[in-house]
């Protein structure tokens, strides 16, 4: 197994009545009423310290992403975050997992190619290059890309970036539908050739499955509805993989899971439940019409999403759930180290996934509690999961120099607080 810490970096200080007073956590929440720039700076620095602590206690990767105009996860530039993390972890064998820069809204996409190449060089070849298509909120509503163009722009940007990275590629002209560049000659180019491993995050779109299969990328299912729902979606992915004549290597897939660990099941409920409630009540407070503007999904994906809509609505209607209901439904894996080990091992095998991302900071969790969650996970859960799949499959979707066992937990550098 390769297990990374995923960090959304939400705004941790929204008011108690946020969801009753404001329309959405994304696109149009008023900064002047809700946020403070000095507090935001503290949250950024806490996030750095939390991810670096995850590297110190043995997680295989540290993972950031891109979103805009929201309190759900306000990292508008994941590569600024990634550059700090890459430099601070030099001398270690932790992957820098960028999940990542949004392709359709970056013009020209060679900017992403350059910045990812920088990160691969700074890190000494430890980059995982996430290539998200992006949410409708970010790409369509915040950055103004016409929804029906989003997937075409994505496909063109993806192909341009992969071509520009190759060491054997001379200066070339790109005359695409959306991007026209007379002379593409990337400086720098990544250490990993012909490209760093590419991960495609998605929410079940069949077009993303197809792109992952065509280019031999890792498909990563990102959902906050747990592994029972995830199994239904990933069963569809593995059936698709089989139809393409590809092997069933679990490392071909990634999965995101919310995880909380404490000394006992009872203390996990007491410590983490308020922050889980904050995450689902406030960070998921988004109008349905913001999610699916007409044209955002292609036809095949639209058909799939309508088929699972009722199940999603049932999982999203969780305002009355207790901590035990979140755990019983496997939306959150939580409890004592032994409980979490058992739940996660079963989920990994059930979903057949080799690249796991764990959300160890959730909602309003304060810094000290987040550090505790990371510490307990790294010391008492992670070692029990490492051997899953090891004797059966090879992870071709991980930086080559890091594919063996982690060598240790060398300190990643001074605190950034």
């Amino acid at each position: 197994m390769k297990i990374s810490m995923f960090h959304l970096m939400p705004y941790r200080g929204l008011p108690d009545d946020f969801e009753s007073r404001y329309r959405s956590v994304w696109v149009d929440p008023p900064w002047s009423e809700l946020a403070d720039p000095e507090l935001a700076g503290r949250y950024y620095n806490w996030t750095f310290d939390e991810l670096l602590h995850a590297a110190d206690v043995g997680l295989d990767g540290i993972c950031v992403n891109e979103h805009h105009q929201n309190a759900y996860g306000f990292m508008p530039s994941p590569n600024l975050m990634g550059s700090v993390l890459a430099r601070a972890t030099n001398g270690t064998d932790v992957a820098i997992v960028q999940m990542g820069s949004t392709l359709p809204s970056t013009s020209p996409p060679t900017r992403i190619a350059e910045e990812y190449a920088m990160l691969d060089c700074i890190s000494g070849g430890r980059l995982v290059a996430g290539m998200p298509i992006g949410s409708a909120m970010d790409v369509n509503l915040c950055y103004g890309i016409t929804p029906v163009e989003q997937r075409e722009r994505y496909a063109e940007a993806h192909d341009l970036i992969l071509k520009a990275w190759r060491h054997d590629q001379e200066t070339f002209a790109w005359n695409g539908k959306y991007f026209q560049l007379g002379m593409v000659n990337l400086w720098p180019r990544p250490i990993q050739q012909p490209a760093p491993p590419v991960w495609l995050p998605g929410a079940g779109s069949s077009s993303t499955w197809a792109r992952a299969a065509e280019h031999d990328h890792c498909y990563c299912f990102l959902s906050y509805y747990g592994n029972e729902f995830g199994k239904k979606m990933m069963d569809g992915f593995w059936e698709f993989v089989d139809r393409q004549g590809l092997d069933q290597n679990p490392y071909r897939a990634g999965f995101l899971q919310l995880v909380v660990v404490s000394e006992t099941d009872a203390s996990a409920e007491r410590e983490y439940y308020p922050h889980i409630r904050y995450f689902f009540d406030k960070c998921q407070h988004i109008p349905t019409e913001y999610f699916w503007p007409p044209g955002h999904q292609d036809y095949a994906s639209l058909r799939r999403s309508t088929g699972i809509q009722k199940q999603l609505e049932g999982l999203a209607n969780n305002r009355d759930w207790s901590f035990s209901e979140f755990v019983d439904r496997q939306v959150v894996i939580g409890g004592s180290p032994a409980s979490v080990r058992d739940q996660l091992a079963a989920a990994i095998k059930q979903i057949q996934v080799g690249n796991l991302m764990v959300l160890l900071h959730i909602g309003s969790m304060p810094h000290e509690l987040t550090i505790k969650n990371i510490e307990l996970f790294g010391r008492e859960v992670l070692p029990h999961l490492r051997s899953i799949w090891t004797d059966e499959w090879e992870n071709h979707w991980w930086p080559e120099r890091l594919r063996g066992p982690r060598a240790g937990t060398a300190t990643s550098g001074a605190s950034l607080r």
Side-chain angles (χ1 to χ4, degrees):
M1 285 296 299
K2 294 296 183 184
I3 302 179
S4 303
M5 178 176 168
F6 190 103
H7 208 312
L8 282 172
M9 210 195 85
Y11 195 84
R12 308 183 197 199
L14 294 174
D16 291 342
D17 61 353
F18 169 79
E19 61 270 33
S20 63
R21 289 176 55 202
Y22 297 96
R23 172 179 172 81
S24 176
V25 76
W26 212 321
V27 181
D28 52 15
W31 168 270
S32 59
E33 296 178 25
L34 294 168
D36 174 81
E38 291 191 6
L39 193 54
R42 186 182 306 168
Y43 295 156
Y44 281 116
N45 286 310
W46 282 353
T47 297
F48 283 128
D49 285 344
E50 289 155 9
L51 287 165
L52 292 174
H53 191 62
D56 284 346
V57 300
L59 275 88
D60 299 292
I62 45 180
C63 182
V64 296
N65 67 137
E66 174 181 346
H67 292 301
H68 303 280
Q69 293 181 200
N70 75 90
Y72 150 88
F74 65 113
M75 281 187 205
S77 177
N79 294 343
L80 283 177
M81 304 293 291
S83 65
V84 173
L85 297 169
R87 178 63 184 89
T89 57
N90 271 349
T92 74
D93 55 358
V94 65
I96 304 300
V97 184
Q98 299 296 106
M99 285 292 288
S101 292
T102 306
L103 271 59
S105 56
T106 303
S107 184
T110 44
R111 179 61 178 259
I112 294 175
E114 291 168 332
E115 292 182 0
Y116 274 5
M118 283 181 65
L119 289 174
D120 202 47
C121 291
I122 292 168
S123 68
R126 293 183 287 125
L127 176 72
V128 173
M131 293 191 179
I133 191 169
S135 73
M137 288 80 74
D138 289 326
V139 177
N140 307 145
L141 301 182
C142 297
Y143 270 30
I145 301 297
T146 303
V148 75
E149 293 182 358
Q150 185 170 346
R151 291 179 187 275
E152 280 190 343
R153 284 178 174 270
Y154 176 83
E156 185 176 330
H158 166 276
D159 293 350
L160 172 54
I161 290 169
L162 290 180
K163 183 174 183 179
W165 273 341
R166 297 183 65 98
H167 284 185
D168 60 1
Q169 178 63 60
E170 302 297 330
T171 301
F172 65 93
W174 185 271
N175 189 27
K177 181 176 180 179
Y178 297 104
F179 310 107
Q180 295 82 41
L181 300 167
M183 291 183 285
V184 179
N185 179 31
L186 216 65
W187 280 67
R189 301 188 192 187
I191 291 172
Q192 298 179 83
Q193 283 291 304
V198 174
W199 288 12
L200 302 187
S205 166
S206 54
S207 63
T208 307
W209 294 355
R211 180 160 294 273
E214 178 185 357
H215 295 276
D216 201 27
H217 298 330
C218 175
Y219 171 73
C220 300
F221 181 56
L222 303 188
S223 166
Y224 303 119
Y225 296 112
N227 63 73
E228 289 188 359
F229 173 70
K231 175 173 170 49
K232 292 182 173 63
M233 296 300 294
M234 292 306 295
D235 282 350
F237 170 74
W238 289 117
E239 290 168 7
F240 175 84
V241 166
D242 189 56
R243 290 196 300 272
Q244 305 309 303
L246 301 172
D247 62 41
Q248 298 281 306
N249 189 333
Y251 295 110
R252 190 180 292 282
F255 187 75
L256 176 65
Q257 178 67 56
L258 284 69
V259 178
V260 294
V261 194
S262 189
E263 290 82 2
T264 67
D265 292 349
S267 62
E269 177 174 0
R270 184 174 61 253
E271 291 171 335
Y272 296 112
Y273 180 61
H275 310 296
I276 293 168
R277 275 264 59 97
Y278 180 103
F279 179 74
F280 284 98
D281 292 345
K282 294 173 172 55
C283 297
Q284 300 292 301
H285 179 58
I286 307 165
T288 304
E289 62 268 23
Y290 282 7
F291 272 107
W292 312 118
H296 174 71
Q297 291 180 292
D298 56 53
Y299 179 68
S301 301
L302 184 62
R303 286 190 63 186
R304 279 189 58 80
S305 66
T306 53
I308 62 171
Q309 194 63 40
K310 283 191 176 181
Q311 186 179 1
L312 277 174
E313 288 172 359
L315 289 166
N317 186 21
N318 55 45
R319 289 190 177 275
D320 297 326
W321 288 10
S322 65
F323 178 81
S324 60
E325 285 178 289
F326 278 106
V327 174
D328 289 345
R329 295 169 185 254
Q330 294 286 275
V331 171
V332 176
I333 286 180
S336 69
S339 294
V340 171
R341 288 196 296 262
D342 291 345
Q343 293 172 61
L344 262 183
I348 288 164
K349 293 171 184 176
Q350 174 177 281
I351 299 169
Q352 192 181 331
V353 62
N355 295 302
L356 181 69
M357 291 162 281
V358 286
L359 201 68
L360 298 176
H361 174 272
I362 300 171
S364 54
M365 280 169 59
H367 179 60
E368 294 76 13
L369 183 58
T370 307
I371 292 294
K372 174 182 177 176
N373 196 27
I374 295 166
E375 181 81 19
L376 285 172
F377 181 87
R379 304 293 186 198
E380 300 193 37
V381 177
L382 179 64
H384 298 267
L385 305 175
R386 287 203 184 279
S387 62
I388 300 175
W389 313 126
T390 300
D391 297 332
E392 304 170 66
W393 301 96
E394 183 178 350
N395 191 348
H396 305 291
W397 298 272
W398 196 252
E400 186 172 1
R401 57 163 289 195
L402 305 181
R403 290 178 189 172
R406 279 210 62 183
T409 56
T411 300
S412 56
S415 170
L416 296 167
R417 281 173 286 185

